[in-house]
Structures are given as structure tokens and as C-alpha cells.
Amino acid sequence: MSEKNMEKVDRATNSKNMSLPMSRVRLIMKSSPDVSFINQDALFLTTKATELFVQYLTEASYKNGSGKDTNTLSYSDLAHTAEETETFQFLTDILPKKILARDYLKTLEEMEKDDDDNQ
């Protein structure tokens, strides 16, 4: 790892300012049946890594989003980034693109029609 990257990691890990409550992160971690004990350092690093990930996702979504002019970030920006960026494609189930009910019903009808045609 380069010295510049090491400085960034040191700065991020030395910062005690957290925007995510560590108690919530601990609760989420403990919800796994495989976890019996959570080391304080592991909790801190997991919380900090989560914050950095969320920051990276929002920055990427903002850069590629439609809200630059109005200085906003919308759900559709996040969903678009999850779908179009290889790094975030694992989030497509969590951040699906919104679809109107009539479009969804139309798609279902077409799928049923295709199933009937194939039988």
C-alpha cells in the first residue's frame, strides 16, 4: 500500500467522529447466529468501513446522478449507480429501480402470455 493511501487510512481510522451509531452496528452484527462476541476494535472498524462505503456510494451516485444542478441526491440516482456500476451491482436487489404499478402489471401479463405460448 502506498504511503498516500496509508495516510488516508490512518486519518479515517483515527477520526473518532462517527455518524453511524456503534450500538446499531453492534445490534446488526449480533443478529448473525455466527457471532457470539464482538471485539471493540472490530466494531469500530466495521462502523468506520460502513461509513466510508456509504460515503463512496453517495459520491459516485451524485457524480453520475441527475441532481447536480439542484445539489440533491435521489433514490433513482442510487438505484442507477447500483445497476450501472460494476462495483455496486451487488446492491441491485436492495436498491431496485422504481417501476410504476401499471408497468409491472403489464410485464406480468406479458410473462404469463409467454408462458401460455410455450406450453
Side-chain angles (χ1 to χ4, degrees):
M1 190 179 287
S2 73
E3 192 167 318
K4 184 178 179 182
N5 287 340
M6 287 297 290
E7 286 177 23
K8 285 182 180 179
V9 169
D10 285 343
R11 211 172 324 123
T13 55
N14 287 336
S15 171
K16 296 292 182 188
N17 296 334
M18 297 265 193
S19 56
L20 293 176
M22 288 179 37
S23 60
R24 289 285 182 174
V25 176
R26 178 190 307 274
L27 186 66
I28 293 168
M29 292 173 73
K30 282 193 166 194
S31 70
S32 172
D34 299 331
V35 176
S36 59
F37 176 76
I38 300 170
N39 181 313
Q40 194 66 23
D41 290 337
L43 177 62
F44 174 80
L45 290 175
T46 301
T47 304
K48 196 61 171 176
T50 303
E51 286 182 356
L52 293 173
F53 172 76
V54 170
Q55 180 181 354
Y56 181 63
L57 172 62
T58 54
E59 287 174 358
S61 298
Y62 181 77
K63 285 179 188 174
N64 300 323
S66 58
K68 284 184 191 175
D69 297 335
T70 58
N71 203 24
T72 60
L73 181 66
S74 68
Y75 177 89
S76 61
D77 296 334
L78 293 167
H80 180 75
T81 300
E83 188 173 303
E84 300 297 324
T85 308
E86 187 176 340
T87 307
F88 300 116
Q89 284 187 346
F90 71 97
L91 295 172
T92 54
D93 291 339
I94 298 168
L95 292 169
K97 284 195 170 188
K98 288 186 177 181
I99 184 171
L100 295 175
R102 68 173 174 259
D103 295 338
Y104 180 72
L105 292 173
K106 185 178 178 182
T107 303
L108 281 178
E109 288 175 6
E110 290 172 0
M111 289 173 59
E112 287 174 0
K113 185 178 178 182
D114 289 344
D115 286 346
D116 291 343
D117 290 343
N118 290 333
Q119 291 179 359

